C-alpha cells in the first residue's frame, strides 16, 4: 500500500553538521543534474556563494567533458576521476571526483552525492619534492599539509601540521618508529607501501590509513609521497592530510543509499543485493530460504485520521517488532510505504520442512504485529507545554505472503514477485 508522506522518502537527508565542518567540497545533485545541497567550503574553493549555485545545473561546476569523465569512472568502478572544477573569476582547479548514488525509499534513482578533493596545491607541492634538503625543510614549514621524512623506519623530519594531526610534539616524533603512531590494523598496508616506495615499485598515488592520536582517538589520514635523498641516503618524504571528516561523510552517504531513513532498516536496494546473494548461494548449499512480503492492513485510515506522525510512529514500531521476532541470520527490510519484507535464511534442504518453518515464522509475525500499539504522538496544534505528548492506542494487522526459494531458483526478482502475489491473495480473502 502507498504511503505519501514526503518526509518518509527523504533518503537523502543531509548530514548538515559534518558538511559544515568539511574543508572539502561536497554537493548533492538530483537525477536531472540540478544542485540541491553544497558544503560551505564551495565559496573558498570555487568563488561561488552556495546560494548562487542551489537550483543551478551542475555544469556551473563541471564542464560537459568533466561530467562525462565522472560518469565513465563510475561505470568502470574506478575509485575517483581526476578532472577540472570550474571557478568564478579564477582558473579551474584540479580535483579528484568520487560519487555515491542516492535512491528514494521506493528504490528509484534520486541523484548522487559528489566529493571534490582539491589537488591543485598538492600537485604543486609534490612537483617540488625532488628539490634539495634545505628546500624540503622550507617547504615543510610553509605547506598546508602534514609533511614527514621517514628514513630507516623512523621520523627524521615532521612539520607542525603533522604534529597537530597526531596530537604530539616534534620532540615526541623525531627518531620514533613511524609505525608506532599507525593503527595496528593498518601496519601491513603502510609498511608495505613504504618499502615499495623505497624500492621504486609503483604504489597508489595516495592512500588512506588510520593513526592513534594522543587526545583525539583514531583519525583517518591520507598520504602520498616520493623517494628522496636525505643526508646522502634513501628516504621518503610524505604529504599527509587529515580526512576523518571526509570518511564520516562518506559513511553517512553510503548509509543513505542503502538504509531507510525512518526505520533504520535496509531499503529496497540493499534487500535486492541480499536476496540476489541468497538465491545464488542456494544451488551450492542445497538449502532453502523464504521471502515474507508484509503489508499493513488499514494503514491509510490511521494516517488520514491522526496524521502522518501516527503513521510514522506505527512504521517504526512495526520495524522494531519484526527485528525482535526473527533470527540474527534473517533480514528485515522496508520497501517503502507500509510494505516490509522478511528474508529467512537458511532454511532446511527439504522443501517441505523449509515451507513448514517459514509458515511458522509468518504465523508468529502475524500474532506479534496484531498486538496493540501505544503510539507516542505530539499534542495536536502545539497544545500543552513544550514537548507534550499524547498516547494513541492502535490495533493493527498485517497481510503476509510467502514464497520459498531453493536450488531450483535463479531469479531473485521472480521470488519477490511470488511473495508479493501471495500477499495480495491473502489480502483479498480478508
Amino acid at each position: 500500500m502507498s504511503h505519501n508522506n514526503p518526509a518518509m522518502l527523504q533518503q537523502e537527508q543531509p548530514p548538515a553538521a559534518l558538511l559544515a565542518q568539511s574543508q572539502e567540497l561536497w554537493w548533492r545533485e538530483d537525477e536531472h543534474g540540478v544542485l540541491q545541497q553544497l558544503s560551505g567550503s564551495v565559496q573558498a574553493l570555487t568563488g561561488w556563494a552556495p546560494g548562487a549555485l542551489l537550483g543551478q545545473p551542475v555544469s556551473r561546476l563541471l564542464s560537459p567533458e568533466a561530467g562525462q569523465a565522472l560518469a565513465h569512472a563510475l561505470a568502470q568502478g574506478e575509485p575517483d576521476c581526476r578532472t577540472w572544477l570550474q571557478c568564478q573569476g579564477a582558473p579551474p582547479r584540479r580535483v579528484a571526483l568520487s560519487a555515491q548514488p542516492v535512491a528514494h525509499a521506493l528504490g528509484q534513482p534520486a541523484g548522487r552525492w559528489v566529493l571534490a578533493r582539491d589537488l591543485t596545491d598538492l600537485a604543486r607541492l609534490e612537483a617540488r619534492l625532488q628539490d634539495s634538503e634545505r628546500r624540503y625543510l622550507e617547504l615543510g614549514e610553509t605547506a598546508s599539509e602534514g609533511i614527514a621524512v621517514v628514513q630507516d623506519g623512523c621520523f627524521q623530519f615532521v612539520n607542525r601540521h603533522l604534529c597537530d594531526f597526531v596530537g604530539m610534539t616534534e620532540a615526541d616524533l623525531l627518531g620514533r618508529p613511524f609505525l608506532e603512531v599507525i593503527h595496528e590494523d593498518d601496519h601491513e598496508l603502510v609498511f608495505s607501501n613504504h618499502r615499495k616506495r623505497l624500492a621504486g615499485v609503483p604504489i597508489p598515488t595516495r592512500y588512506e590509513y588510520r593513526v592513534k592520536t594522543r587526545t583525539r582517538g583514531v583519525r583517518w589520514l591520507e598520504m602520498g609521497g616520493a623517494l628522496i635523498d636525505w643526508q646522502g641516503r634513501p628516504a621518503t618524504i610524505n604529504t599527509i592530510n587529515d580526512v576523518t571528516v571526509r570518511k564520516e561523510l562518506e559513511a553517512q552517504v553510503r548509509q543513505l543509499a542503502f538504509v531507510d531513513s525512518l526505520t533504520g532498516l535496509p531499503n529496497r536496494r540493499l534487500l535486492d543485493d541480499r536476496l540476489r546473494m541468497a538465491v545464488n548461494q542456494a544451488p551450492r548449499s542445497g538449502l532453502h530460504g523464504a521471502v515474507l512480503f508484509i503489508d499493513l492492513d488499514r494503514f491509510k485510515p490511521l494516517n488520514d485520521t491522526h496524521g502522518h506522525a501516527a503513521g510514522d510512529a506505527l512504521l517504526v514500531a512495526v520495524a522494531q517488532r519484526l527485528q525482535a521476532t526473527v533470527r540474527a541470520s534473517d533480514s528485515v527490510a522496508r520497501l517503502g510505504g507500509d510494505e516490509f519484507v522478511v528474508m529467512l535464511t537458511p532454511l532446511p534442504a527439504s522443501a517441505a520442512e523449509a515451507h513448514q518453518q517459514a509458515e511458522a515464522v509468518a504465523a508468529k509475525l502475524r500474532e506479534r504485529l496484531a498486538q496493540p500499539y501505544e503510539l507516542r504522538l505530539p499534542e495536536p496544534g502545539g497544545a500543552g507545554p513544550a514537548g507534550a505528548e499524547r498516547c494513541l492506542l492502535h490495533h493493527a494487522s498485517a497481510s503476509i505472503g510467502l514464497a520459498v526459494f531453493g536450488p531450483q531458483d535463479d531469479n531473485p526478482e521472480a521470488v519477490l514477485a511470488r511473495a508479493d502475489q501471495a500477499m495480495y491473495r491473502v489480502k483479498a480473502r480478508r
Side-chain angles (χ1 to χ4, degrees), residues 50-61:
L53 290 174
L54 290 176
Q56 298 297 314
V58 74
S59 57
R60 289 288 185 95
L61 293 174

Side-chain angles (χ1 to χ4, degrees), residues 58-303:
V58 74
S59 57
R60 289 288 185 95
L61 293 174
L62 295 180
S63 67
E65 293 77 15
Q68 292 171 6
L70 177 59
H72 177 76
L74 287 174
Q76 297 299 314
E78 298 172 3
D80 60 31
C81 163
R82 305 297 171 97
T83 185
W84 296 93
L85 191 71
Q86 299 181 146
C87 302
Q88 184 183 39
R93 297 191 71 86
R94 186 67 171 169
V95 294
L97 299 179
S98 54
Q100 173 66 57
V102 175
H104 286 306
L106 296 178
Q108 299 94 336
R112 61 190 177 192
W113 280 94
V114 178
L115 165 64
R117 292 184 288 120
D118 185 20
L119 303 178
T120 307
D121 294 337
L122 188 60
R124 293 172 185 160
L125 174 64
E126 292 181 342
R128 298 164 63 187
L129 290 182
Q130 303 303 320
D131 212 336
S132 67
E133 183 175 318
R134 178 186 59 81
R135 190 64 160 173
Y136 298 143
L137 299 177
E138 292 176 354
L139 193 58
E141 292 308 325
T142 59
S144 58
E145 293 82 12
I147 301 288
V149 174
V150 175
Q151 187 179 63
D152 298 328
C154 296
F155 290 112
Q156 301 299 324
F157 170 80
V158 293
N159 71 347
R160 60 184 178 84
H161 289 297
L162 180 63
C163 293
D164 292 342
F165 291 161
V166 298
M168 298 180 186
T169 66
E170 182 181 17
D172 291 330
L173 292 173
L174 289 181
R176 183 174 186 166
F178 75 96
L179 284 179
E180 289 187 6
V181 300
I182 307 296
H183 191 281
E184 293 84 356
D185 292 345
D186 293 332
H187 274 191
E188 183 178 351
L189 167 69
V190 177
F191 184 64
S192 173
N193 281 345
H194 176 68
R195 291 186 63 180
K196 288 177 181 177
R197 182 161 280 141
L198 284 173
V201 177
I203 64 171
T205 306
R206 299 186 69 78
Y207 64 94
E208 298 169 349
Y209 61 96
R210 288 160 292 181
V211 295
K212 302 173 294 185
T213 71
R214 179 160 289 175
T215 58
R216 296 194 297 164
V218 175
R219 306 284 294 180
W220 279 94
L221 302 184
E222 181 185 66
M223 182 166 68
L227 176 64
I228 64 168
D229 182 82
W230 182 266
Q231 297 180 348
R233 296 174 50 237
T236 63
I237 185 165
N238 306 280
T239 59
I240 302 160
N241 285 308
D242 188 323
V243 295
T244 306
V245 171
R246 181 212 299 172
K247 297 291 287 187
E248 292 173 354
L249 274 167
E250 288 175 342
Q252 290 203 21
V253 169
R254 281 194 299 271
Q255 183 182 36
L256 294 175
F258 292 104
V259 176
D260 174 62
S261 59
L262 177 67
T263 63
L265 294 177
N267 62 13
R268 173 65 180 266
R269 185 176 177 185
L270 184 52
L271 171 69
D272 287 345
D273 287 346
R274 291 181 177 177
L275 180 57
R276 183 178 300 105
M277 184 179 301
V279 170
N280 290 340
Q281 287 177 347
R284 295 191 293 270
S285 68
L287 300 177
H288 287 80
V291 171
L292 307 181
F293 202 110
I294 302 168
D295 185 276
L296 302 183
D297 300 324
R298 298 179 297 279
F299 180 73
K300 188 174 184 299
L302 174 68
N303 265 341

Side-chain angles (χ1 to χ4, degrees), residues 341-375:
V341 166
V342 173
M343 185 176 71
L344 306 176
T345 55
L347 292 177
S350 164
E353 291 182 19
H355 198 278
Q356 184 179 18
Q357 288 190 17
E359 286 281 13
V361 174
K364 185 186 298 185
L365 291 176
R366 273 191 293 270
E367 179 182 357
R368 187 77 179 90
L369 296 179
Q371 295 174 7
Y373 297 83
E374 293 185 0
L375 306 179

